[in-house]
Amino acid sequence: MTHDLVAALRPLLTAEVSAEAPAAGSEPGDLEQAVWLRLLERLKSDGPPPDPSGWLRGAVRAEARRTRRTTRRERPYDGEPADDTRAGPEQHVLTAARYRALRAAVRRLPGRCPRLMEALLSPRDLTYREIAGELGISQGSLGPERSRCLGCLRRLLAPEVAACEARG
């Protein structure tokens, strides 16, 4: 029964949605799909309609009205709604991995470098005077010491960075 009903109603539904869809502001296929769904729901709950063609015309018009109401309520975005500036979860994971690799490399530095680099990387944003006080060295020697430690860190990280680059 369902196959016969669908086969009999298909040409009428195609004609009706082609006529109603432009005024409803929707695609004919979307409107047709909504009406087929309505018919299946009706078949499951109440059985086939007594006047299938009349029911179909009414269902198409009702779906077209619903679509028009929805279209009137929807407002387009003025700009792009996606916030591409915020990092996604994968970016957070990659950033955390780089941070862990940097901290591990800092711990492998020689001499006073680990303490100096930890102080420079501190979230407290210490001044040179505060760092010199914490490390017990003169403020004037922080710059050269920092340069030496950064050079060591670059040499330490060079093989890791080179391993991550794409090869062609």
Side-chain angles (χ1 to χ4, degrees):
M1 167 105 184
T2 305
H3 288 291
D4 295 337
L5 186 61
V6 168
L9 292 178
R10 183 178 304 274
L12 178 60
L13 180 59
T14 302
E16 289 290 323
V17 298
S18 295
E20 291 289 331
S26 75
E27 295 290 323
D30 294 341
L31 198 54
E32 184 176 347
Q33 186 177 18
V35 173
W36 283 129
L37 184 59
R38 236 186 215 218
L39 177 62
L40 290 174
E41 289 169 346
R42 165 152 181 127
L43 288 174
K44 185 177 181 181
S45 62
D46 302 333
D51 176 20
S53 352
W55 178 89
L56 184 96
R57 286 186 189 97
V60 168
R61 282 169 186 72
E63 282 300 320
R65 279 192 307 274
R66 186 191 61 73
T67 302
R68 273 193 297 274
R69 278 192 312 270
T70 303
T71 303
R72 274 195 308 260
R73 289 184 186 133
E74 292 175 345
R75 297 286 176 243
Y77 285 109
D78 291 335
E80 180 61 36
D83 182 10
D84 291 339
T85 59
R86 253 188 15 219
E90 62 278 350
Q91 189 61 42
H92 287 297
V93 168
L94 291 173
T95 301
R98 281 193 297 268
Y99 188 74
R100 281 191 305 272
L102 174 64
R103 292 293 180 164
V106 165
R107 285 190 298 272
R108 293 191 316 257
L109 289 172
R112 292 192 292 210
C113 288
R115 289 185 55 214
L116 174 61
M117 295 308 294
E118 286 295 335
L120 289 170
L121 292 171
S122 170
R124 295 183 299 160
D125 197 25
L126 302 170
T127 65
Y128 266 30
R129 176 176 287 162
E130 293 168 328
I131 293 171
E134 271 190 26
L135 298 177
I137 59 176
S138 72
Q139 187 175 338
S141 65
L142 273 181
E145 185 81 16
R146 181 189 64 105
S147 294
R148 188 180 64 76
C149 293
L150 286 174
C152 288
L153 187 60
R154 275 190 208 93
R155 284 189 299 279
L156 199 61
L157 289 175
E160 294 176 25
V161 172
C164 294
E165 289 179 357
R167 306 214 181 235

